[in-house]
Amino acid sequence: MIMLREVLRDAAQRLQQSGSDSARRDAELLLLHVLQRNAMWLYAHDDEALAPELQQAFLQLLQRREQGEPVAHLLGQRGFWTLDLAVNRHTLIPRPETEMLVEFALERIPAGSATAILDLGTGSGAIALAVKRERPSCVVTAVDASEEALAVARANAARLHLSVEFLSGSWFSPLAGRHFRLILSNPPYIPHDDVHLGQGDVRFEPRSALVSGVDGLDDIRVLARLAPAHLLQGGWLALEHGHDQAPRVRAILEAAGFQQVESRIDLN
């Protein structure tokens, strides 16, 4: 029988050799998933043996991770803000940098406010659900063109007991005549020929949620053009975009008539 500490050490070495830049953490997350235990338990019991049936399940996950499959897909979930969200191949994997959009929303919407907030391209529902958790009096609506993604988002909302309206459609198409104080979006913004599309987790994520034309800005242009008709007077549009796109995105927004346009740099 092999002890847990040895299982973890060997798995981390294998993942490091396969190119993972978070090998130890990945191995630990997969092992905890199989054990159905938390990290504190593992640290206190790492001299125990791993049962053969659990060892086989762990090795299967390890092999899939060696082939590049995202840990979030292997676990079926990813933490975002204060939420644990189900994710799958139909949704983007929520990333810590996107939490800046939630922070922006909380800056602009006071606690106790009952205003209308919109999340476009909601995917797993990450942004909409995080905002609803922090501003429960607000009316939060979320839109996505993917029915498969919406199914994940609705399931997340139900499990977390958060009331968000989910609508199917492309950007503003299901929102005729409706207006919002704040519109948030993490739209596709990667150029179609970007080399990063063949690397890391994005290889397993929906291309429609990643790629937006030759320069990556086609969908941001659509949002900038259509958002003013759906914003209340003095409302805000907040978008995530690529690390080198800030000047172009500001120019797009200013050309569409937006004022007080600014860029913020996230932790990554």
Side-chain angles (χ1 to χ4, degrees):
M1 302 286 282
I2 183 170
M3 291 187 295
L4 291 173
R5 72 164 68 97
E6 296 169 344
V7 171
L8 189 57
R9 180 199 63 208
D10 294 345
Q13 290 176 349
R14 284 178 58 172
L15 292 181
Q16 189 171 29
Q17 292 169 0
S18 70
S20 172
D21 56 4
S22 55
R24 172 77 184 193
R25 181 59 176 160
D26 292 353
E28 184 176 293
L29 288 171
L30 296 178
L31 184 57
L32 292 173
H33 179 69
V34 168
L35 293 170
Q36 291 296 292
R37 300 283 190 174
N38 60 36
M40 291 303 296
W41 183 93
L42 179 58
Y43 298 151
H45 297 83
D46 67 350
D47 58 347
E48 295 186 12
L50 182 62
E53 65 275 13
L54 295 182
Q55 183 175 2
Q56 183 60 33
F58 176 67
L59 288 175
Q60 290 176 353
L61 290 177
L62 184 63
Q63 289 169 357
R64 291 168 64 185
R65 181 58 186 151
E66 284 180 302
Q67 295 166 4
E69 194 166 345
V71 171
H73 287 178
L74 297 175
L75 303 182
Q77 66 178 28
R78 170 61 64 90
F80 179 83
W81 198 249
T82 61
L83 311 174
D84 286 325
L85 300 173
V87 296
N88 62 25
R89 62 186 180 87
H90 299 295
T91 68
L92 281 183
I93 299 169
R95 290 166 170 82
E97 293 76 28
T98 303
E99 292 181 359
M100 182 172 281
L101 285 175
V102 179
E103 294 171 359
F104 182 89
L106 301 185
E107 291 173 9
R108 294 296 184 274
I109 307 298
S113 173
T115 193
I117 300 174
L118 174 63
D119 173 26
L120 290 174
T122 193
S124 64
I127 296 169
L129 295 171
V131 171
K132 184 65 177 181
R133 169 65 63 85
E134 301 298 334
R135 296 291 185 265
S137 298
C138 286
V139 178
V140 180
T141 299
V143 175
D144 205 287
S146 167
E147 291 290 351
E148 294 85 358
L150 285 173
V152 175
R154 290 187 177 109
N156 279 327
R159 180 173 47 80
L160 295 167
H161 305 290
L162 294 171
S163 178
V164 170
E165 176 190 29
F166 292 100
L167 299 175
S168 176
S170 176
W171 302 128
F172 293 98
S173 61
L175 298 167
R178 297 183 58 176
H179 299 85
F180 303 87
R181 175 65 57 192
L182 177 62
I183 298 174
L184 305 165
S185 184
N186 178 17
Y189 55 74
I190 300 176
H192 72 89
D193 60 351
D194 193 297
V195 295
H196 296 96
L197 292 169
Q199 303 171 6
D201 290 354
V202 296
R203 292 173 295 166
F204 297 84
E205 295 178 279
R207 194 174 179 88
S208 61
L210 296 166
V211 175
S212 186
V214 174
D215 64 355
L217 298 175
D218 283 2
D219 286 301
I220 287 178
R221 292 186 181 95
V222 171
L223 295 177
R225 185 177 76 251
L226 299 180
H230 294 275
L231 280 170
L232 295 168
Q233 185 69 30
W236 293 85
L237 170 66
L239 305 166
E240 183 171 331
H241 58 70
H243 71 95
D244 59 350
Q245 295 173 331
R248 286 174 289 165
V249 171
R250 289 196 302 270
I252 290 169
L253 292 171
E254 289 167 352
F258 284 89
Q259 300 176 2
Q260 300 181 43
V261 178
E262 65 177 63
S263 304
R264 297 187 180 185
I265 299 174
D266 62 39
L267 295 177
N268 203 32

